[in-house]
Amino acid sequence: MFNPILLAILSPFFFALTNVWDKYIVVHRVKNALSYAVIDGLTIFVYSIILSVFVSWAGVSLNALLIPAVIGVLYGASTLAYYYVIQKEDVTHFIGLLYVYPILVAFMSFLFLNEVIPLVGYIGMILTVSGAVLMTTRIKKFNSKVFLYLAVMVVLSAVGEFLVKVSTSHVPELNAIAISDLFLGLTLFCVAFFIPKIRSGIKYEFTHNLHLSVISQIVWVFAIITLFYAMAGLPATIVASLGVLQPLFVLVMERIADSYIGKISRDTLLLPKLGAILLIIIGIALLTMSGALFLK
């Protein structure tokens, strides 16, 4: 069994890889980002069916699957908001603002699960969240619609990760992942059915960019598996806060993509972000210490 702290660090790495890959696709390949999101839904739906065939469903009740189903709906809605925002902003900018959600996860975990972590963990959470938010200080203009979609992502991400923690107490991880990804795909299909502008672009995105979605959703599967298993072994507050590594990983990956694949970011200056990076690194060190204390 992998160390849950390692899994909690790997999860934001895989999510960051997905973010940068998606940004490259949106900038250089797709015509309609929201239609492409539906192709992602199709791909992850197929993956969930394949996974469900290979896991045992013995002893898993239908009632227990309700929480993973809700997780999938939340992630599906968040995916649409994500693709809207990713068209407008550099990934490090909006991912930085997104990572205020660990505070909400910590609050819900304390309120509903009576979850308390060592004090050093809360200090680490505050530092990492502060560093993530500081990543956004170079945004020159942030329109109100982007901010609204980002606020929706914050709430959906917080509730989704909290429910991931809850689900680990009721459903085996792989079963929960299969159901959540199944409903993620179904949510995106439903949106496409009701919105003609999204539906009209699906044929082009399917014929031209399906293979790109296949690649990105493989990485998503690794991200979600490491997230669920990390939540099974650690408090939700620690896992969500360690997720703040994601904008740091994104920052490095953006530079690699800009240099070797194709330009995807407008803000290429690293020096103004060093203070934020330092806060994140110190915070992550404290959170890792907190996780180690919890596992003892």
Side-chain angles (χ1 to χ4, degrees):
M1 185 66 180
F2 286 104
N3 185 303
I5 297 177
L6 175 61
L7 295 176
I9 292 172
L10 284 175
S11 183
F13 171 82
F14 288 123
F15 278 121
L17 192 56
T18 303
N19 294 150
V20 174
W21 179 248
D22 290 340
K23 181 65 175 181
Y24 167 78
I25 293 169
V26 167
V27 171
H28 295 284
R29 302 297 294 265
V30 306
K31 284 188 175 181
N32 186 323
L34 296 182
S35 298
Y36 177 77
V38 179
I39 304 305
D40 272 354
L42 171 64
T43 306
I44 203 64
F45 182 86
V46 172
Y47 287 165
S48 69
I49 295 296
I50 294 171
L51 176 59
S52 66
V53 171
F54 289 96
V55 299
S56 172
W57 296 93
V60 180
S61 69
L62 287 176
N63 287 339
L65 297 178
L66 177 61
I67 293 176
V70 172
I71 294 170
V73 173
L74 294 175
Y75 281 171
S78 182
T79 297
L80 289 170
Y82 163 77
Y83 270 106
Y84 178 83
V85 174
I86 207 172
Q87 297 175 90
K88 309 294 183 180
E89 289 293 333
D90 286 351
V91 181
T92 45
H93 289 166
F94 81 82
I95 289 294
L97 280 177
L98 175 63
Y99 268 90
V100 301
Y101 85 78
I103 297 174
L104 299 179
V105 174
F107 176 75
M108 288 187 289
S109 299
F110 174 78
L111 190 63
F112 298 110
L113 302 178
N114 297 317
E115 181 180 283
V116 178
I117 65 174
L119 177 61
V120 67
Y122 289 111
I123 296 172
M125 180 187 71
I126 292 170
L127 291 175
T128 52
V129 170
S130 299
V133 173
L134 281 175
M135 285 282 196
T136 68
T137 56
R138 292 181 57 78
I139 298 178
K140 304 302 182 185
K141 186 178 180 181
F142 210 61
N143 72 57
S144 57
K145 194 171 182 180
V146 169
F147 187 80
L148 175 62
Y149 276 92
L150 188 56
V152 169
M153 289 175 65
V154 168
V155 174
L156 294 177
S157 297
V159 177
E161 287 210 6
F162 170 74
L163 291 179
V164 169
K165 177 62 180 179
V166 174
S167 74
T168 60
S169 301
H170 300 86
V171 185
E173 288 79 12
L174 291 179
N175 299 76
I177 291 167
I179 294 299
S180 64
D181 281 349
L182 181 75
F183 276 84
L184 190 164
L186 288 174
T187 300
L188 292 172
F189 297 159
C190 290
V191 170
F193 181 80
F194 288 107
I195 302 179
K197 188 175 180 180
I198 294 178
R199 190 169 63 248
S200 63
I202 290 176
K203 182 178 179 181
Y204 175 88
E205 302 303 339
F206 180 85
T207 56
H208 290 79
N209 295 317
L210 175 62
H211 62 295
L212 301 176
S213 177
V214 169
I215 295 170
S216 68
Q217 295 313 298
I218 288 174
V219 182
W220 163 267
V221 169
F222 280 104
I224 208 72
I225 287 175
T226 50
L227 173 63
F228 269 81
Y229 277 96
M231 283 290 190
L234 288 170
T237 302
I238 292 177
V239 176
S241 299
L242 283 172
V244 178
L245 274 169
Q246 188 175 341
L248 193 56
F249 287 139
V250 164
L251 184 64
V252 175
M253 293 177 190
E254 275 185 337
R255 298 300 172 271
I256 295 172
D258 285 343
S259 300
Y260 299 102
I261 302 174
K263 189 169 178 59
I264 63 171
S265 58
R266 296 185 294 269
D267 182 6
T268 59
L269 295 178
L270 182 61
L271 186 61
K273 298 175 182 176
L274 289 181
I277 292 170
L278 183 61
L279 282 176
I280 292 173
I281 291 172
I282 295 172
I284 293 301
L286 295 177
L287 283 162
T288 303
M289 185 188 306
S290 177
L293 291 171
F294 174 82
L295 292 174
K296 282 186 177 180

